[in-house]
Amino acid sequence: MAYREMRDYLAVLEQHGLLRRVTREVDRSWEIACLAKWMYQALPVEQRFGLFFQNVKGSTIPVVTAALGASPGSVALALQCGPDEINQTVVAALRNPIKPRLSGDGACHEVELLGSSANLSKLPIVTWTPGKDRGPYITTIVITRDHDTAVQNMGVYRTMVRDDHSVVVNLSPGRQGTYNARTWTDRGKKAPIAWVIASEPAIHLATVANLPAGKDEMEFAGGLKGEPIELVKCKTIDLHVPANTEIVIEGEIAPGEMEDEGPFGEFAGVMGPVEKRPIARLKAITHRRNPLYYGYTSQMPPSESTTIQSLVNAGVILQTMRDHVGDRGVQDVHIDQTFGGVLAHAIVAITPQMPGHGKRVGRTIADITPVKRVTVVDADVDIRDPSHVDWALNSRFSPERDTVIIDDVYVPLQIDPSVRDARGNVTQGSKLVLDATQKIDSGPLSLPPNKIMMEALAIWKECGLPVFEIPKRAKLRIERS
Ligand SMILES: Cc1cc2nc3c(=O)[nH]c(=O)nc-3n(C[C@H](O)[C@H](O)[C@H](O)COP(=O)(O)O)c2cc1C
């Protein structure tokens, strides 16, 4: 059965030992963030878990973080698939989007705080880089709408608390939320905007997909869930939000109202610069009775942000290459989760169809996605195993022949701190493609034939030597020996 709300998912996560409750009182101005940072910085990926802070100082509302993106295991549970099936689940949902359904009422409207009662001090909003961020930030789904087409968009745009009734939203250039807001403010109108806090897991994951302009991620979320997402109309603005959300904040951006946003700990691992960003003024906070609060953990990678952005966008790139570029040679895509989703390193497995195919695939992905580095390998390499990818780079890649550098690709400083030159000027940035596919048949692998390796495996077991699961890297190699 599909999850209907965040609570269903948290219960399943807990059953799998992937959610830990913290019962001690915690201070949201530093303790929540620091504990989450220890979890990501110290634990290997297979030991990470979501954190449920039951007792938050000065608030009756518990705070959850890292539950969606502790590891591929938690993302797989959120998508109700196996950890090896995340790409195929994302691809299937993109191929079969499901339109949302409008409902008369929803749990998110059980309590309505309208006008001056909509006070942010009632929410346990977390400071994510204590001692360095300008203040507490809301890190969740943001919904906006195109004035002309009425199509909504979802994205995560960090939002700085300005005072009890207003915020500054990091709507950065090029983002669809930014475009949507301007379709209103450029006409002198107030742009509606809503923050969706703790909703169905499919919605949270769909939000971070880099989909083409004009595509509503809510339909992709429906595809991931396998049924329509139920929406309700906001109380004070003309937007639709998921009915089963724990907390919704409704607001408006007035034309020309901007203020400094930041510094804020960025997902690239350094503090982001201060920029002028739009102010939004609150019109309502609605919530369930006894709600939960959710904030994504970002900042120094690896983080929840890098984990979910990498895993979801690998599937998006795979589907784009197969269905939109029409390249049947592309078999699989992985994005390095230690860094993150948009700016990171994509490793692509292909079955080359012609000379130069590897470079062409790499160049196309570098051009049409924000990924900074693309390594292309043959389909006999486990793209999720860095040692196997490195083997391909050392044995099938000749730097002078197989490297492509793509220059003058605009990358904002906060996304990639390396685009600053020695004088401190921000440059246009560049991308790297490494074609590590085999150009000529390099002959048989230096392993004994598969048949006798499998016989030896039986002897290994007979001898009582330590039991192991055959790594994919070894399987791929031994199968073709
Ligand atoms: C925790 C977290 C925080 C993020 N903060 C921002 C942000 O402040 N500004 C931004 O442009 N993108 C941010 N992103 C990335 C975007 O949400 C993501 O790329 C999304 O697909 C953008 O949607 P859009 O292409 O529809 O605008 C963040 C992602 C996560 C997971």
Side-chain angles (χ1 to χ4, degrees), residues 362-404:
R363 261 197 309 258
T364 306
I365 292 176
D367 265 344
I368 64 176
T369 76
V371 168
K372 179 171 171 177
R373 283 191 296 147
V374 188
T375 301
V376 186
V377 296
D378 296 284
D380 64 351
V381 172
D382 179 3
I383 57 174
R384 291 170 185 80
D385 182 337
S387 76
H388 206 178
V389 175
D390 236 25
W391 174 82
L393 277 166
N394 285 321
S395 60
R396 296 176 175 179
F397 164 78
S398 176
E400 197 194 359
R401 184 192 60 198
D402 299 327
T403 303
V404 183

mmCIF file of all heavy atoms in Angstrom, residues 362-404:
data_model
loop_
_atom_site.group_PDB
_atom_site.id
_atom_site.type_symbol
_atom_site.label_atom_id
_atom_site.label_comp_id
_atom_site.label_asym_id
_atom_site.label_seq_id
_atom_site.Cartn_x
_atom_site.Cartn_y
_atom_site.Cartn_z
ATOM 1 N N GLY A 362 28.688 11.568 -22.989
ATOM 2 C CA GLY A 362 29.212 12.428 -21.927
ATOM 3 C C GLY A 362 28.949 13.898 -22.210
ATOM 4 O O GLY A 362 28.512 14.645 -21.328
ATOM 5 N N ARG A 363 29.199 14.302 -23.468
ATOM 6 C CA ARG A 363 28.988 15.718 -23.841
ATOM 7 C C ARG A 363 27.516 16.097 -23.723
ATOM 8 O O ARG A 363 27.177 17.169 -23.251
ATOM 9 C CB ARG A 363 29.443 15.947 -25.284
ATOM 10 C CG ARG A 363 30.831 16.546 -25.398
ATOM 11 C CD ARG A 363 31.048 17.125 -26.780
ATOM 12 N NE ARG A 363 30.704 16.182 -27.820
ATOM 13 C CZ ARG A 363 31.595 15.467 -28.533
ATOM 14 N NH1 ARG A 363 32.879 15.634 -28.317
ATOM 15 N NH2 ARG A 363 31.201 14.637 -29.466
ATOM 16 N N THR A 364 26.637 15.195 -24.160
ATOM 17 C CA THR A 364 25.199 15.510 -24.112
ATOM 18 C C THR A 364 24.762 15.707 -22.664
ATOM 19 O O THR A 364 24.084 16.684 -22.333
ATOM 20 C CB THR A 364 24.376 14.369 -24.762
ATOM 21 O OG1 THR A 364 24.889 14.149 -26.057
ATOM 22 C CG2 THR A 364 22.909 14.715 -24.828
ATOM 23 N N ILE A 365 25.178 14.803 -21.784
ATOM 24 C CA ILE A 365 24.760 14.918 -20.375
ATOM 25 C C ILE A 365 25.347 16.185 -19.759
ATOM 26 O O ILE A 365 24.661 16.926 -19.045
ATOM 27 C CB ILE A 365 25.166 13.653 -19.586
ATOM 28 C CG1 ILE A 365 24.326 12.473 -20.091
ATOM 29 C CG2 ILE A 365 24.983 13.849 -18.074
ATOM 30 C CD1 ILE A 365 24.673 11.135 -19.482
ATOM 31 N N ALA A 366 26.606 16.472 -20.090
ATOM 32 C CA ALA A 366 27.219 17.697 -19.553
ATOM 33 C C ALA A 366 26.456 18.932 -20.045
ATOM 34 O O ALA A 366 26.264 19.896 -19.306
ATOM 35 C CB ALA A 366 28.684 17.770 -19.972
ATOM 36 N N ASP A 367 25.991 18.886 -21.293
ATOM 37 C CA ASP A 367 25.297 20.042 -21.857
ATOM 38 C C ASP A 367 23.890 20.244 -21.307
ATOM 39 O O ASP A 367 23.485 21.361 -21.048
ATOM 40 C CB ASP A 367 25.184 19.876 -23.386
ATOM 41 C CG ASP A 367 26.313 20.588 -24.103
ATOM 42 O OD1 ASP A 367 26.962 21.435 -23.463
ATOM 43 O OD2 ASP A 367 26.535 20.289 -25.291
ATOM 44 N N ILE A 368 23.156 19.150 -21.145
ATOM 45 C CA ILE A 368 21.730 19.336 -20.826
ATOM 46 C C ILE A 368 21.418 19.185 -19.347
ATOM 47 O O ILE A 368 20.266 19.304 -18.952
ATOM 48 C CB ILE A 368 20.820 18.404 -21.674
ATOM 49 C CG1 ILE A 368 21.086 16.930 -21.343
ATOM 50 C CG2 ILE A 368 20.995 18.686 -23.159
ATOM 51 C CD1 ILE A 368 20.155 15.970 -22.082
ATOM 52 N N THR A 369 22.420 18.897 -18.517
ATOM 53 C CA THR A 369 22.177 18.808 -17.075
ATOM 54 C C THR A 369 23.207 19.686 -16.366
ATOM 55 O O THR A 369 24.215 20.059 -16.967
ATOM 56 C CB THR A 369 22.343 17.361 -16.542
ATOM 57 O OG1 THR A 369 23.751 17.069 -16.460
ATOM 58 C CG2 THR A 369 21.675 16.334 -17.433
ATOM 59 N N PRO A 370 22.999 19.975 -15.100
ATOM 60 C CA PRO A 370 23.994 20.775 -14.383
ATOM 61 C C PRO A 370 25.192 19.964 -13.867
ATOM 62 O O PRO A 370 26.054 20.499 -13.199
ATOM 63 C CB PRO A 370 23.202 21.352 -13.195
ATOM 64 C CG PRO A 370 21.779 20.971 -13.420
ATOM 65 C CD PRO A 370 21.781 19.789 -14.315
ATOM 66 N N VAL A 371 25.266 18.659 -14.179
ATOM 67 C CA VAL A 371 26.351 17.820 -13.671
ATOM 68 C C VAL A 371 27.707 18.343 -14.156
ATOM 69 O O VAL A 371 27.863 18.724 -15.300
ATOM 70 C CB VAL A 371 26.138 16.356 -14.130
ATOM 71 C CG1 VAL A 371 27.381 15.529 -13.888
ATOM 72 C CG2 VAL A 371 24.963 15.741 -13.390
ATOM 73 N N LYS A 372 28.695 18.356 -13.268
ATOM 74 C CA LYS A 372 30.000 18.961 -13.600
ATOM 75 C C LYS A 372 30.964 17.978 -14.275
ATOM 76 O O LYS A 372 31.724 18.355 -15.151
ATOM 77 C CB LYS A 372 30.610 19.486 -12.296
ATOM 78 C CG LYS A 372 31.973 20.132 -12.454
ATOM 79 C CD LYS A 372 32.373 20.799 -11.154
ATOM 80 C CE LYS A 372 33.790 21.282 -11.146
ATOM 81 N NZ LYS A 372 34.108 21.978 -9.897
ATOM 82 N N ARG A 373 30.973 16.716 -13.805
ATOM 83 C CA ARG A 373 31.891 15.723 -14.385
ATOM 84 C C ARG A 373 31.077 14.530 -14.856
ATOM 85 O O ARG A 373 30.169 14.085 -14.152
ATOM 86 C CB ARG A 373 32.866 15.221 -13.311
ATOM 87 C CG ARG A 373 33.970 16.194 -13.000
ATOM 88 C CD ARG A 373 35.022 15.523 -12.145
ATOM 89 N NE ARG A 373 34.538 15.114 -10.846
ATOM 90 C CZ ARG A 373 34.968 14.050 -10.191
ATOM 91 N NH1 ARG A 373 35.863 13.242 -10.724
ATOM 92 N NH2 ARG A 373 34.511 13.770 -8.994
ATOM 93 N N VAL A 374 31.410 14.008 -16.034
ATOM 94 C CA VAL A 374 30.741 12.796 -16.513
ATOM 95 C C VAL A 374 31.811 11.779 -16.884
ATOM 96 O O VAL A 374 32.702 12.089 -17.672
ATOM 97 C CB VAL A 374 29.858 13.076 -17.757
ATOM 98 C CG1 VAL A 374 29.027 11.841 -18.099
ATOM 99 C CG2 VAL A 374 28.949 14.285 -17.547
ATOM 100 N N THR A 375 31.729 10.606 -16.284
ATOM 101 C CA THR A 375 32.618 9.503 -16.671
ATOM 102 C C THR A 375 31.754 8.451 -17.352
ATOM 103 O O THR A 375 30.735 8.024 -16.780
ATOM 104 C CB THR A 375 33.315 8.904 -15.433
ATOM 105 O OG1 THR A 375 34.066 9.938 -14.791
ATOM 106 C CG2 THR A 375 34.256 7.773 -15.822
ATOM 107 N N VAL A 376 32.145 8.073 -18.567
ATOM 108 C CA VAL A 376 31.362 7.082 -19.313
ATOM 109 C C VAL A 376 32.156 5.780 -19.352
ATOM 110 O O VAL A 376 33.345 5.788 -19.685
ATOM 111 C CB VAL A 376 31.067 7.579 -20.747
ATOM 112 C CG1 VAL A 376 30.129 6.620 -21.462
ATOM 113 C CG2 VAL A 376 30.470 8.990 -20.712
ATOM 114 N N VAL A 377 31.493 4.685 -18.964
ATOM 115 C CA VAL A 377 32.156 3.369 -18.945
ATOM 116 C C VAL A 377 31.288 2.367 -19.709
ATOM 117 O O VAL A 377 30.131 2.651 -20.034
ATOM 118 C CB VAL A 377 32.384 2.869 -17.494
ATOM 119 C CG1 VAL A 377 33.337 3.772 -16.733
ATOM 120 C CG2 VAL A 377 31.063 2.732 -16.737
ATOM 121 N N ASP A 378 31.858 1.179 -19.962
ATOM 122 C CA ASP A 378 31.077 0.107 -20.590
ATOM 123 C C ASP A 378 30.133 -0.504 -19.557
ATOM 124 O O ASP A 378 30.347 -0.381 -18.346
ATOM 125 C CB ASP A 378 32.022 -0.982 -21.117
ATOM 126 C CG ASP A 378 32.924 -0.460 -22.218
ATOM 127 O OD1 ASP A 378 32.446 -0.287 -23.343
ATOM 128 O OD2 ASP A 378 34.123 -0.212 -21.929
ATOM 129 N N ALA A 379 29.135 -1.212 -20.071
ATOM 130 C CA ALA A 379 28.123 -1.787 -19.178
ATOM 131 C C ALA A 379 28.662 -2.950 -18.339
ATOM 132 O O ALA A 379 27.957 -3.464 -17.468
ATOM 133 C CB ALA A 379 26.921 -2.235 -20.003
ATOM 134 N N ASP A 380 29.918 -3.376 -18.568
ATOM 135 C CA ASP A 380 30.473 -4.445 -17.724
ATOM 136 C C ASP A 380 31.169 -3.882 -16.483
ATOM 137 O O ASP A 380 31.870 -4.597 -15.776
ATOM 138 C CB ASP A 380 31.444 -5.330 -18.526
ATOM 139 C CG ASP A 380 32.679 -4.562 -19.002
ATOM 140 O OD1 ASP A 380 32.706 -3.324 -18.857
ATOM 141 O OD2 ASP A 380 33.611 -5.213 -19.525
ATOM 142 N N VAL A 381 30.957 -2.593 -16.210
ATOM 143 C CA VAL A 381 31.570 -1.955 -15.035
ATOM 144 C C VAL A 381 30.458 -1.587 -14.059
ATOM 145 O O VAL A 381 29.413 -1.063 -14.465
ATOM 146 C CB VAL A 381 32.360 -0.696 -15.462
ATOM 147 C CG1 VAL A 381 32.843 0.097 -14.252
ATOM 148 C CG2 VAL A 381 33.536 -1.089 -16.352
ATOM 149 N N ASP A 382 30.663 -1.867 -12.762
ATOM 150 C CA ASP A 382 29.676 -1.473 -11.743
ATOM 151 C C ASP A 382 29.845 0.015 -11.453
ATOM 152 O O ASP A 382 30.794 0.424 -10.781
ATOM 153 C CB ASP A 382 29.869 -2.306 -10.467
ATOM 154 C CG ASP A 382 28.873 -1.913 -9.383
ATOM 155 O OD1 ASP A 382 28.011 -1.038 -9.648
ATOM 156 O OD2 ASP A 382 28.960 -2.464 -8.273
ATOM 157 N N ILE A 383 28.917 0.818 -11.977
ATOM 158 C CA ILE A 383 29.065 2.280 -11.869
ATOM 159 C C ILE A 383 28.886 2.783 -10.438
ATOM 160 O O ILE A 383 29.190 3.924 -10.137
ATOM 161 C CB ILE A 383 28.110 3.028 -12.835
ATOM 162 C CG1 ILE A 383 26.649 2.642 -12.584
ATOM 163 C CG2 ILE A 383 28.517 2.786 -14.277
ATOM 164 C CD1 ILE A 383 25.654 3.468 -13.407
ATOM 165 N N ARG A 384 28.398 1.909 -9.535
ATOM 166 C CA ARG A 384 28.239 2.329 -8.127
ATOM 167 C C ARG A 384 29.432 1.922 -7.273
ATOM 168 O O ARG A 384 29.418 2.097 -6.065
ATOM 169 C CB ARG A 384 26.930 1.761 -7.565
ATOM 170 C CG ARG A 384 25.729 2.430 -8.209
ATOM 171 C CD ARG A 384 24.399 1.790 -7.918
ATOM 172 N NE ARG A 384 23.362 2.470 -8.686
ATOM 173 C CZ ARG A 384 23.105 2.243 -9.982
ATOM 174 N NH1 ARG A 384 23.793 1.334 -10.649
ATOM 175 N NH2 ARG A 384 22.171 2.929 -10.619
ATOM 176 N N ASP A 385 30.449 1.349 -7.899
ATOM 177 C CA ASP A 385 31.638 0.900 -7.173
ATOM 178 C C ASP A 385 32.839 1.724 -7.651
ATOM 179 O O ASP A 385 33.386 1.480 -8.740
ATOM 180 C CB ASP A 385 31.846 -0.598 -7.451
ATOM 181 C CG ASP A 385 33.035 -1.169 -6.691
ATOM 182 O OD1 ASP A 385 33.937 -0.393 -6.318
ATOM 183 O OD2 ASP A 385 33.048 -2.397 -6.493
ATOM 184 N N PRO A 386 33.273 2.702 -6.846
ATOM 185 C CA PRO A 386 34.356 3.599 -7.298
ATOM 186 C C PRO A 386 35.622 2.847 -7.692
ATOM 187 O O PRO A 386 36.335 3.272 -8.594
ATOM 188 C CB PRO A 386 34.614 4.502 -6.086
ATOM 189 C CG PRO A 386 33.374 4.411 -5.257
ATOM 190 C CD PRO A 386 32.764 3.072 -5.528
ATOM 191 N N SER A 387 35.904 1.682 -7.060
ATOM 192 C CA SER A 387 37.139 0.974 -7.405
ATOM 193 C C SER A 387 37.031 0.365 -8.806
ATOM 194 O O SER A 387 38.017 0.263 -9.532
ATOM 195 C CB SER A 387 37.463 -0.098 -6.361
ATOM 196 O OG SER A 387 36.616 -1.211 -6.531
ATOM 197 N N HIS A 388 35.822 -0.033 -9.194
ATOM 198 C CA HIS A 388 35.636 -0.602 -10.526
ATOM 199 C C HIS A 388 35.722 0.505 -11.591
ATOM 200 O O HIS A 388 36.312 0.315 -12.661
ATOM 201 C CB HIS A 388 34.285 -1.326 -10.598
ATOM 202 C CG HIS A 388 34.244 -2.427 -11.619
ATOM 203 N ND1 HIS A 388 33.153 -3.233 -11.819
ATOM 204 C CD2 HIS A 388 35.175 -2.847 -12.511
ATOM 205 C CE1 HIS A 388 33.408 -4.101 -12.776
ATOM 206 N NE2 HIS A 388 34.631 -3.879 -13.221
ATOM 207 N N VAL A 389 35.136 1.662 -11.271
ATOM 208 C CA VAL A 389 35.187 2.806 -12.209
ATOM 209 C C VAL A 389 36.644 3.250 -12.384
ATOM 210 O O VAL A 389 37.108 3.528 -13.491
ATOM 211 C CB VAL A 389 34.297 3.966 -11.699
ATOM 212 C CG1 VAL A 389 34.437 5.207 -12.583
ATOM 213 C CG2 VAL A 389 32.835 3.519 -11.627
ATOM 214 N N ASP A 390 37.380 3.249 -11.291
ATOM 215 C CA ASP A 390 38.792 3.634 -11.344
ATOM 216 C C ASP A 390 39.595 2.644 -12.188
ATOM 217 O O ASP A 390 40.497 3.031 -12.925
ATOM 218 C CB ASP A 390 39.361 3.659 -9.920
ATOM 219 C CG ASP A 390 39.948 5.006 -9.604
ATOM 220 O OD1 ASP A 390 39.511 5.994 -10.230
ATOM 221 O OD2 ASP A 390 40.850 5.067 -8.752
ATOM 222 N N TRP A 391 39.261 1.364 -12.070
ATOM 223 C CA TRP A 391 39.919 0.343 -12.892
ATOM 224 C C TRP A 391 39.689 0.647 -14.380
ATOM 225 O O TRP A 391 40.607 0.592 -15.194
ATOM 226 C CB TRP A 391 39.384 -1.045 -12.510
ATOM 227 C CG TRP A 391 39.885 -2.141 -13.398
ATOM 228 C CD1 TRP A 391 41.087 -2.781 -13.300
ATOM 229 C CD2 TRP A 391 39.213 -2.711 -14.527
ATOM 230 N NE1 TRP A 391 41.198 -3.712 -14.305
ATOM 231 C CE2 TRP A 391 40.064 -3.694 -15.079
ATOM 232 C CE3 TRP A 391 37.974 -2.486 -15.131
ATOM 233 C CZ2 TRP A 391 39.715 -4.448 -16.194
ATOM 234 C CZ3 TRP A 391 37.630 -3.237 -16.247
ATOM 235 C CH2 TRP A 391 38.492 -4.207 -16.762
ATOM 236 N N ALA A 392 38.439 1.009 -14.714
ATOM 237 C CA ALA A 392 38.139 1.338 -16.121
ATOM 238 C C ALA A 392 38.932 2.576 -16.546
ATOM 239 O O ALA A 392 39.483 2.630 -17.651
ATOM 240 C CB ALA A 392 36.643 1.575 -16.288
ATOM 241 N N LEU A 393 39.042 3.553 -15.651
ATOM 242 C CA LEU A 393 39.789 4.780 -16.000
ATOM 243 C C LEU A 393 41.268 4.465 -16.211
ATOM 244 O O LEU A 393 41.920 5.053 -17.077
ATOM 245 C CB LEU A 393 39.627 5.823 -14.892
ATOM 246 C CG LEU A 393 38.337 6.643 -14.978
ATOM 247 C CD1 LEU A 393 38.082 7.396 -13.690
ATOM 248 C CD2 LEU A 393 38.390 7.613 -16.150
ATOM 249 N N ASN A 394 41.794 3.540 -15.440
ATOM 250 C CA ASN A 394 43.215 3.222 -15.573
ATOM 251 C C ASN A 394 43.506 2.293 -16.745
ATOM 252 O O ASN A 394 44.611 2.301 -17.273
ATOM 253 C CB ASN A 394 43.744 2.607 -14.273
ATOM 254 C CG ASN A 394 43.902 3.683 -13.211
ATOM 255 O OD1 ASN A 394 44.320 4.791 -13.511
ATOM 256 N ND2 ASN A 394 43.535 3.373 -11.987
ATOM 257 N N SER A 395 42.515 1.500 -17.148
ATOM 258 C CA SER A 395 42.830 0.499 -18.168
ATOM 259 C C SER A 395 42.172 0.765 -19.522
ATOM 260 O O SER A 395 42.517 0.128 -20.512
ATOM 261 C CB SER A 395 42.428 -0.898 -17.667
ATOM 262 O OG SER A 395 41.050 -0.920 -17.400
ATOM 263 N N ARG A 396 41.205 1.708 -19.581
ATOM 264 C CA ARG A 396 40.493 1.906 -20.854
ATOM 265 C C ARG A 396 40.478 3.367 -21.302
ATOM 266 O O ARG A 396 39.795 3.719 -22.263
ATOM 267 C CB ARG A 396 39.041 1.420 -20.708
ATOM 268 C CG ARG A 396 38.945 -0.058 -20.437
ATOM 269 C CD ARG A 396 37.515 -0.517 -20.201
ATOM 270 N NE ARG A 396 37.483 -1.976 -20.068
ATOM 271 C CZ ARG A 396 36.383 -2.676 -19.842
ATOM 272 N NH1 ARG A 396 35.216 -2.065 -19.726
ATOM 273 N NH2 ARG A 396 36.446 -3.975 -19.751
ATOM 274 N N PHE A 397 41.170 4.216 -20.555
ATOM 275 C CA PHE A 397 41.054 5.658 -20.780
ATOM 276 C C PHE A 397 42.446 6.238 -20.998
ATOM 277 O O PHE A 397 43.351 6.034 -20.178
ATOM 278 C CB PHE A 397 40.394 6.263 -19.538
ATOM 279 C CG PHE A 397 40.506 7.747 -19.401
ATOM 280 C CD1 PHE A 397 39.689 8.593 -20.131
ATOM 281 C CD2 PHE A 397 41.431 8.313 -18.526
ATOM 282 C CE1 PHE A 397 39.784 9.961 -19.991
ATOM 283 C CE2 PHE A 397 41.540 9.674 -18.383
ATOM 284 C CZ PHE A 397 40.711 10.504 -19.123
ATOM 285 N N SER A 398 42.626 6.918 -22.126
ATOM 286 C CA SER A 398 43.897 7.569 -22.406
ATOM 287 C C SER A 398 43.631 9.079 -22.356
ATOM 288 O O SER A 398 42.898 9.609 -23.202
ATOM 289 C CB SER A 398 44.399 7.141 -23.778
ATOM 290 O OG SER A 398 45.567 7.845 -24.063
ATOM 291 N N PRO A 399 44.180 9.789 -21.343
ATOM 292 C CA PRO A 399 43.736 11.161 -21.084
ATOM 293 C C PRO A 399 43.717 12.080 -22.307
ATOM 294 O O PRO A 399 42.745 12.801 -22.534
ATOM 295 C CB PRO A 399 44.729 11.653 -20.030
ATOM 296 C CG PRO A 399 45.147 10.413 -19.311
ATOM 297 C CD PRO A 399 45.155 9.328 -20.343
ATOM 298 N N GLU A 400 44.765 12.035 -23.120
ATOM 299 C CA GLU A 400 44.824 12.974 -24.234
ATOM 300 C C GLU A 400 43.714 12.718 -25.255
ATOM 301 O O GLU A 400 43.090 13.628 -25.770
ATOM 302 C CB GLU A 400 46.187 12.862 -24.908
ATOM 303 C CG GLU A 400 46.472 14.061 -25.771
ATOM 304 C CD GLU A 400 47.623 13.830 -26.704
ATOM 305 O OE1 GLU A 400 48.219 12.723 -26.662
ATOM 306 O OE2 GLU A 400 47.923 14.734 -27.478
ATOM 307 N N ARG A 401 43.462 11.436 -25.486
ATOM 308 C CA ARG A 401 42.470 11.066 -26.514
ATOM 309 C C ARG A 401 41.033 11.128 -25.991
ATOM 310 O O ARG A 401 40.107 11.489 -26.723
ATOM 311 C CB ARG A 401 42.786 9.627 -26.969
ATOM 312 C CG ARG A 401 41.935 9.103 -28.093
ATOM 313 C CD ARG A 401 42.130 7.606 -28.256
ATOM 314 N NE ARG A 401 41.769 6.881 -27.031
ATOM 315 C CZ ARG A 401 42.145 5.636 -26.760
ATOM 316 N NH1 ARG A 401 42.924 4.977 -27.570
ATOM 317 N NH2 ARG A 401 41.760 5.047 -25.633
ATOM 318 N N ASP A 402 40.852 10.815 -24.715
ATOM 319 C CA ASP A 402 39.492 10.510 -24.231
ATOM 320 C C ASP A 402 38.892 11.567 -23.299
ATOM 321 O O ASP A 402 37.907 11.300 -22.609
ATOM 322 C CB ASP A 402 39.506 9.151 -23.511
ATOM 323 C CG ASP A 402 39.919 8.026 -24.440
ATOM 324 O OD1 ASP A 402 39.592 8.110 -25.629
ATOM 325 O OD2 ASP A 402 40.587 7.073 -23.971
ATOM 326 N N THR A 403 39.513 12.747 -23.234
ATOM 327 C CA THR A 403 39.003 13.804 -22.351
ATOM 328 C C THR A 403 38.338 14.906 -23.182
ATOM 329 O O THR A 403 38.859 15.287 -24.223
ATOM 330 C CB THR A 403 40.172 14.448 -21.566
ATOM 331 O OG1 THR A 403 40.847 13.424 -20.855
ATOM 332 C CG2 THR A 403 39.690 15.524 -20.591
ATOM 333 N N VAL A 404 37.207 15.401 -22.701
ATOM 334 C CA VAL A 404 36.582 16.581 -23.329
ATOM 335 C C VAL A 404 36.384 17.611 -22.233
ATOM 336 O O VAL A 404 35.856 17.282 -21.163
ATOM 337 C CB VAL A 404 35.192 16.247 -23.932
ATOM 338 C CG1 VAL A 404 34.605 17.457 -24.643
ATOM 339 C CG2 VAL A 404 35.254 15.058 -24.862
#
